[in-house]
Amino acid sequence: VNERKLDLDIDWSDVLKHAHAVSNTNPFWNELSASNPFVHDIAASNRNENNKYLSILKEKTYLLSKVSSNRDSLASSGDELDIDCLLRKTSARRSGRSKSVSDFLDIVDSQRFNPRKTTPQKKVASNVTCLQNDREAYKMAWLSQRQLTRSCLDLEAMSHSPGWAQTQATDIHVVCKLDHEGGSVQLPASDINIHVPVGHVVPGEFQEVGLKAILNPPSSFNNELSSTISPLIELTLSNLNTREAIFLEVKVAAKVKNDPLSQVMSDIVCFFSLNKEGPFKKLEHCYTYQDTIQVKLMDLSHIMYAVIAVQANKIQPPATNVWDYVHRTVSVGVYGPKYIHPSFTTVFTVFGHNYIPEKLTICDIKKGGKRMPPVVFQLWGKHTFLLEKPQDLNISLVSCDPDFEVKMEDESRNIKEEELKTGVMVQQQFLFSMLGCKEMHFFVFLVQIKVLKNSQVTQFHVTTPDPAPKLSGIISRPKRLQTRKEIKSAPLLLIPTVKYPKFQDKTLSVNTYGVALKNVLRQNKIDYLLEYFKGDTIALLGEDKVKAIGQTKIKEWYVGVLRKKIGLVHCKNIKVISKEQAMDTADSELTTKNLVEQIALPFKKLTYIYSVVLSAVSENVYDWRALAEVLGYSHMSLDDFNEAHADKESERVAHVVKRMKEDCHANKKKRLFLYELIVALLKIDCQGLVARLTQETIILTSAVKLGKHWRELAEKLARLTKQQIEAYEVPHQGKNGVVALEMMWKPAYDFLYTWGAHYGDSYRDVLQDLQSALDKMKNPVTKHWRELTGMLILVNCMEVLRASAFSKKEEEE
C-alpha cells in the first residue's frame, strides 16, 4: 500500500482570540467550561494568563496527530462514531464544511469512477485538489486535522465519562495497491480473500483493490430455501484495463452434509451484483471444498458486491428448511468499551456468518433511559458452535468476580428462532456494575448459551480490558508505574494457577532468508549489527524492518542470524529469498535457548527500579512453581514459605523473585538479576509482561543517559515549548532554583513516561519512535549506547520464539 504521511500544522491563533473575546461577553462561559473539556483550557487560560502547567496533550497536538502503520498501533483515544451510520442518508444535503471524511471519499470515488459526472463541492482545505487522486493521503490528511480537535480532550474526564472522544469514524475495510505481479488481499481478521493473478494488469500499470465487509447481508436471500453464510462483500477496483479475471475466496459458516439427499438438494453458491441493493445473479464459476468457496469474477466493474448463500432446490420432508441440509455454525461475539468503568454495557452479538469484526458500531445503547450516540465497541471475546436448526436461544452472563455483578433484569435474555432465520446481526445488551468503592480491575465473566428445545448448553469465559488509565498526576507521582495498564501475559481464570507452556530447546523454524550482496566488516565493531561476507545465507527472523542508525546515518534493517549470532543486517545489502530457495542454511541455524539468551542481553546494561519489577512480576505471574523451575529453584516446596507467603500466589511469586535477587547480589560477577529474570519470563511465554518491563526499563535508562540533553529530545519528540520544559523541571529544582545535573534524569523520566503513556499498548511504536528521535539528535546517545537497538531486536523476535519454542499440542492438552 502506498502511504503518504502528511503533517498538518494549523495556526489556531485566530480561533483562540475569538474564544477569548466570547469568554468576556458570554455569561454562561464559566459554567460551560466546567462541564466541557473542549473549552476548559481556554477558559482556564483566560482566568490565569500565566498558566504554564498545561499538559503536553492539550498544549501540543502533534502527539496525537501521528498515524502509524505498525501492526500493534491499535490504541486510539476513546470510543468512536460510525459516521456512515449517522450521515449516509443526509450527506447529500450537508455543506462542505460539515461533511465527514466518508462523504468526501465518496465524492472522490464518484469523480474518479464517473469523470463526466461531477458535482461542485466546497473544500475542507486549500490543498484538496492535489489529494483527490490519492485516497489514502486524503484520508490521512482529514484524520490529522480531526485529531487536532480530539487533542483538546481532558483525558481525566474521559476516564469517568466514556461519551467524550467519540469523534472518529471506523470501517471494516482494506485497500491494497498491486502491480503486474498480482498478489492477494485479505480483509483483516477474516477468511475473506481476493487473489489477483500475474498479468491481471499490463506491466507499468497498477490495480488498487478495496475489500469491505457489510455485516448485514441482503434480507431477500434468507428464507426457507436459502440462507446467507457470509457478509455482503464489497469489492472495488480502480483499473478496468485488465487481462485476467480475479478470484474471491471465502470460508463460510456452513458445509453441506455428506448424506446423498443433502448433496443433491442443496448447494453453496455465490450471488453477484453491481449494486448494493441488487438485483443479484448466481455465478457459474464456483469451486467449493467443504466450508470454503472460490469464485472466479470475470465481469469486473469499479464497484461490485458478492454474498455467499446455501440454497436448496426444494424442501423434502422430514426437512423443514435449508438448515436441515447443512452443518451450520453460529458465531457470537461479546463487545464492550475499550476500558471498563464502574458501570458499563456489554453487547452479545450473533452473526449470520463466521466473520467477527474486531470493532463494532453499536447504535442503540441506552443510559439513564436515554438513547446514547453511536459508539464503537471492541471485541472482548468470541465463540463458534454448531446449531442444527434455527431455534430459540437463551443467553446469560454471570460475573466470576464478587466485585462486579450483572444488573438483575439483564442477567438472562432470549433470542428468537425467527431472528436467526433473517441472517442479520442480533444483539442483546447486558449492564455490569461494580459493588462498593474498591479499586477498579479487570475481571472474568461466564457467557452461557442455552438451546431451549434440547437443553444444549455452550459456554465460554471472557476477560474484560483494564480500567481507563488516569494520565493526570503521572509527572508528580512516578509510582503510577506500578498501576499502569498491563498487557496481560496470561488470562485470569477460575482456577488458582495457570498452566504455563513448557519451553522446548530446538532449532528455530525460519521461512525467509537473505543472501548477502557484499562484504560488510567493521573496523570499529558495533553492538547488535551483523558482519558478513558476500554470498552468506542469513536467516531472517520475520519480515518487519527496524529503523536505526548505522555508522553514520539512519537505515532500515532486518533482524537476522548468522554464525550463531543475532543482529541487524542492512535491507539493501541482501536479496530476500524463500526457504525453498536457500541452498546452505547451516551457518544461519539457531536454537530457541540461544535465541532467548541473546535477545535478553540488553537487560544486562539497563537501569531498573527493583520495586517496580517485583510488583509487576508478582501481579502477573500466576504460578510460582513454573517461575521457580525456570529460575533454577525446582527444589523449592511450600515448606520454604513462611505463613505470610502461604496464602496468596502473588506473595509466593514475590518470594521466589526476592530469593533470586539475593543470590544474584551475592554473586555479582557472574549473575545479573534483571537479565536472568527476563530469560525466565520468556521461557514461560510471559511475553506481555516482558513487553511492559522492556518499555519501562528503556524509558528509565534513556532518561539517565540523556541527562540535560532531554530538552533537545523533548523539542524533537513532542515539540515542547521552553515554558513546558520548565514546567517539567520545576518539581525537581533545588533551593537555588536549578535542577542539579545528577537529578536531571527525573524531569527527563517524567517527560518520557508521560509521552510513552499516550501510546497505550503499542510498545513497539514507543521503542521505534524513541530510537528514531534519539538517532536524530545533534550528538546521538545511540552512537555509543546501543541497548535500545537490542530491545528492538527482542520485540521483533517474540513471534518466532513463540512459534518455535512452545508446542501448540501441549497447550491444548
Side-chain angles (χ1 to χ4, degrees):
V1 180
N2 180 25
E3 294 186 359
R4 186 179 302 171
K5 295 191 176 181
L6 302 175
D7 187 9
L8 296 184
D9 191 358
I10 295 177
D11 183 7
W12 293 95
S13 58
D14 291 338
V15 180
L16 294 177
K17 286 177 184 175
H18 175 71
H20 285 304
V22 171
S23 66
N24 292 329
T25 58
N26 187 347
F28 302 103
W29 183 261
N30 290 333
E31 288 74 11
L32 179 68
S33 67
S35 63
N36 189 342
F38 285 94
V39 298
H40 177 76
D41 284 349
I42 300 172
S45 61
N46 187 49
R47 292 190 294 268
N48 180 11
E49 294 295 337
N50 296 319
N51 185 5
K52 298 178 182 178
Y53 299 96
L54 297 179
S55 74
I56 56 173
L57 249 186
K58 298 171 187 173
E59 272 297 284
K60 280 291 179 181
T61 58
Y62 306 99
L63 285 176
L64 286 179
S65 65
K66 186 165 187 146
V67 179
S68 173
S69 60
N70 193 302
R71 62 169 164 246
D72 350 273
S73 304
L74 299 176
S76 62
S77 59
D79 298 324
E80 305 163 37
L81 276 176
D82 185 340
I83 299 297
D84 280 342
C85 180
L86 295 175
L87 300 178
R88 185 168 289 131
K89 293 181 181 179
T90 61
S91 62
R93 300 193 300 271
R94 288 186 177 272
S95 68
R97 180 173 296 179
S98 60
K99 285 185 181 297
S100 72
V101 70
S102 303
D103 298 325
F104 279 105
L105 292 178
D106 288 343
I107 294 166
V108 172
D109 281 351
S110 64
Q111 290 178 352
R112 184 197 300 169
F113 297 152
N114 303 290
R116 295 180 183 177
K117 184 181 178 182
T118 58
T119 306
Q121 297 288 344
K122 294 182 181 179
K123 300 176 181 179
V124 265
S126 59
N127 59 349
V128 165
T129 307
C130 68
L131 295 175
Q132 282 185 343
N133 294 327
D134 191 331
R135 181 186 177 98
E136 281 302 301
Y138 193 101
K139 177 182 174 184
M140 291 176 64
W142 185 89
L143 288 178
S144 295
Q145 184 168 346
R146 190 77 197 102
Q147 288 190 347
L148 291 174
T149 302
R150 295 169 66 207
S151 66
C152 298
L153 294 176
D154 185 328
L155 295 183
E156 185 69 26
M158 273 174 51
S159 67
H160 298 291
S161 176
W164 289 110
Q166 299 164 1
T167 58
Q168 185 180 330
T170 61
D171 212 346
I172 309 158
H173 73 281
V174 64
V175 180
C176 191
K177 194 172 184 179
L178 303 173
D179 59 12
H180 171 75
E181 297 296 323
S184 295
V185 181
Q186 182 180 28
L187 194 67
S190 79
D191 293 308
I192 301 172
N193 299 271
I194 290 291
H195 301 294
V196 180
V198 176
H200 171 70
V201 292
V202 297
E205 290 193 11
F206 295 91
Q207 178 69 279
E208 192 175 276
V209 181
L211 199 54
K212 177 180 177 181
I214 299 168
L215 297 177
N216 284 330
S219 57
S220 59
F221 291 109
N222 288 284
N223 48 55
E224 298 300 323
L225 291 171
S226 176
S227 179
T228 54
I229 48 179
S230 81
L232 179 62
I233 301 163
E234 180 184 282
L235 173 63
T236 57
L237 300 176
S238 63
N239 186 356
L240 294 185
N241 182 25
T242 59
R243 295 182 173 182
E244 296 284 342
I246 61 176
F247 296 87
L248 169 66
E249 184 178 283
V250 184
K251 188 173 182 180
V252 294
K255 58 182 178 181
V256 178
K257 292 179 180 178
N258 288 327
D259 63 274
L261 182 63
S262 299
Q263 291 286 324
V264 171
M265 301 300 291
S266 63
D267 195 13
I268 294 176
V269 294
C270 176
F271 291 94
F272 179 83
S273 175
L274 300 181
N275 295 302
K276 186 176 177 181
E277 292 77 20
F280 286 83
K281 66 175 182 178
K282 185 162 70 172
L283 294 181
E284 299 298 328
H285 303 281
C286 298
Y287 171 74
T288 305
Y289 177 71
Q290 293 187 346
D291 60 350
T292 300
I293 182 169
Q294 190 175 78
V295 185
K296 187 176 184 180
L297 302 178
M298 302 175 70
D299 299 327
L300 302 180
S301 177
H302 281 302
I303 185 165
M304 299 163 283
Y305 294 89
V307 63
I308 315 298
V310 58
Q311 200 172 43
N313 302 322
K314 65 177 183 178
I315 304 300
Q316 183 171 319
T320 56
N321 59 54
V322 69
W323 283 52
D324 292 321
Y325 294 136
V326 295
H327 292 295
R328 178 70 186 264
T329 56
V330 172
S331 298
V332 297
V334 177
Y335 292 83
K338 185 171 183 180
Y339 302 112
I340 61 171
H341 302 269
S343 178
F344 61 88
T345 299
T346 61
V347 179
F348 177 92
T349 305
V350 180
F351 296 95
H353 41 77
N354 59 1
Y355 176 49
I356 306 177
E358 294 295 319
K359 293 183 180 181
L360 188 65
T361 303
I362 311 296
C363 296
D364 59 348
I365 289 185
K366 291 183 179 179
K367 193 171 184 180
K370 295 181 180 180
R371 189 181 293 272
M372 299 286 286
V375 292
V376 171
F377 271 13
Q378 318 289 318
L379 178 63
W380 285 5
K382 59 184 177 180
H383 191 71
T384 301
F385 64 98
L386 193 68
L387 189 62
E388 293 179 0
K389 56 185 177 180
Q391 47 195 309
D392 295 345
L393 302 177
N394 175 263
I395 314 300
S396 59
L397 269 61
V398 181
S399 173
C400 303
D401 191 307
D403 294 341
F404 294 86
E405 68 173 4
V406 185
K407 197 173 179 181
M408 289 294 290
E409 55 266 33
D410 289 350
E411 282 184 348
S412 179
R413 295 289 181 90
N414 292 330
I415 293 176
K416 299 292 184 183
E417 174 184 333
E418 289 72 21
E419 293 178 294
L420 294 178
K421 285 182 179 179
T422 64
V424 299
M425 287 188 299
V426 183
Q427 297 178 344
Q428 293 290 351
Q429 297 181 13
F430 296 85
L431 181 65
F432 279 85
S433 58
M434 189 175 183
L435 300 174
C437 301
K438 299 180 181 179
E439 184 74 19
M440 284 285 292
H441 56 84
F442 73 89
F443 65 99
V444 176
F445 60 89
L446 178 69
V447 181
Q448 284 190 329
I449 307 167
K450 298 178 183 177
V451 182
L452 297 180
K453 290 183 180 179
N454 60 11
S455 302
Q456 173 190 348
V457 178
T458 300
Q459 63 182 31
F460 61 100
H461 288 89
V462 175
T463 303
T464 72
D466 287 316
K470 298 177 181 179
L471 296 182
S472 65
I474 282 180
I475 296 174
S476 58
R477 287 186 289 170
K479 286 186 179 179
R480 280 186 180 271
L481 269 170
Q482 298 174 22
T483 57
R484 270 197 62 201
K485 178 171 176 57
E486 173 60 28
I487 308 163
K488 291 181 276 295
S489 51
L492 180 61
L493 302 178
L494 300 177
I495 49 178
T497 60
V498 170
K499 183 182 178 183
Y500 287 94
K502 189 166 182 64
F503 180 81
Q504 297 174 0
D505 184 16
K506 59 184 182 181
T507 304
L508 284 182
S509 176
V510 178
N511 296 320
T512 311
Y513 291 84
V515 177
L517 301 177
K518 58 190 284 190
N519 296 337
V520 175
L521 297 171
R522 297 179 179 85
Q523 190 172 359
N524 297 321
K525 306 300 180 187
I526 301 176
D527 290 342
Y528 307 110
L529 301 190
L530 285 180
E531 294 184 320
Y532 40 88
F533 297 100
K534 185 177 180 179
D536 279 344
T537 301
I538 305 170
L540 302 183
L541 305 185
E543 298 178 6
D544 290 341
K545 297 175 182 177
V546 172
K547 286 184 181 177
I549 196 169
Q551 198 84 40
T552 56
K553 61 181 181 180
I554 299 171
K555 302 174 182 177
E556 287 193 333
W557 312 78
Y558 287 118
V559 179
V561 177
L562 183 63
R563 288 183 274 278
K564 309 297 182 186
K565 185 179 179 183
I566 301 171
L568 299 181
V569 53
H570 188 198
C571 295
K572 291 185 178 179
N573 288 349
I574 60 169
K575 179 184 178 182
V576 178
I577 60 174
S578 66
K579 184 177 183 179
E580 292 73 23
Q581 294 172 300
M583 300 291 289
D584 183 10
T585 60
D587 282 349
S588 56
E589 289 182 353
L590 193 75
T591 64
T592 52
K593 180 175 180 288
N594 199 332
L595 174 68
V596 168
E597 291 171 350
Q598 279 200 60
I599 62 177
L601 282 175
F603 284 95
K604 287 187 174 183
K605 299 180 181 179
L606 293 182
T607 306
Y608 63 93
I609 302 172
Y610 173 66
S611 60
V612 172
V613 174
L614 179 64
S615 64
V617 175
S618 60
E619 290 169 11
N620 295 281
V621 174
Y622 305 115
D623 184 359
W624 72 268
R625 292 181 189 276
L627 182 64
E629 186 174 343
V630 291
L631 285 173
Y633 299 115
S634 53
H635 59 277
M636 286 184 69
S637 66
L638 288 173
D639 296 334
D640 295 316
F641 299 101
N642 56 35
E643 292 182 6
H645 300 140
D647 296 333
K648 284 188 176 181
E649 192 72 18
S650 60
E651 292 291 342
R652 295 171 184 166
V653 172
H655 180 75
V656 173
V657 175
K658 290 175 185 175
R659 169 81 176 271
M660 189 194 68
K661 171 70 173 174
E662 292 168 1
D663 291 347
C664 290
H665 188 73
N667 191 4
K668 287 182 180 179
K669 291 183 179 179
K670 291 186 178 180
R671 300 187 64 182
L672 291 167
F673 164 71
L674 189 58
Y675 170 76
E676 292 194 14
L677 179 62
I678 295 297
V679 168
L681 293 176
L682 288 172
K683 285 185 175 181
I684 58 174
D685 200 28
C686 286
Q687 292 194 357
L689 180 55
V690 170
R692 175 187 171 180
L693 294 175
T694 297
Q695 180 173 332
E696 290 178 351
T697 51
I698 273 294
I699 283 178
L700 181 61
T701 311
S702 300
V704 174
K705 291 286 179 184
L706 281 167
K708 65 180 180 180
H709 297 292
W710 83 270
R711 298 165 183 165
E712 180 191 346
L713 181 73
E715 291 175 6
K716 287 185 178 295
L717 209 54
R719 304 188 185 181
L720 290 195
T721 63
K722 186 179 179 181
Q723 290 80 8
Q724 289 170 315
I725 291 173
E726 288 176 0
Y728 276 100
E729 293 186 353
V730 165
H732 307 291
Q733 289 175 354
K735 293 180 180 179
N736 58 355
V738 178
V739 181
L741 198 59
E742 65 272 13
M743 300 296 288
M744 194 61 80
W745 69 271
K746 290 188 175 182
Y749 173 76
D750 290 344
F751 162 72
L752 284 174
Y753 184 76
T754 309
W755 166 79
H758 297 150
Y759 282 77
D761 298 343
S762 307
Y763 63 93
R764 288 194 185 193
D765 286 351
V766 173
L767 298 180
Q768 181 62 79
D769 289 353
L770 181 58
Q771 171 88 53
S772 299
L774 291 173
D775 283 344
K776 291 175 183 176
M777 292 177 68
K778 291 177 183 177
N779 295 302
V781 296
T782 45
K783 275 214 166 187
H784 312 287
W785 175 64
R786 294 276 174 170
E787 273 55 60
L788 181 48
T789 308
M791 287 300 206
L792 285 170
I793 292 174
L794 181 148
V795 298
N796 278 280
C797 289
M798 282 186 171
E799 289 181 17
V800 70
L801 171 64
R802 175 170 280 170
S804 299
F806 302 102
S807 170
K808 292 182 180 178
K809 291 182 180 179
E810 186 177 311
E811 289 179 23
E812 291 170 0
E813 290 170 4

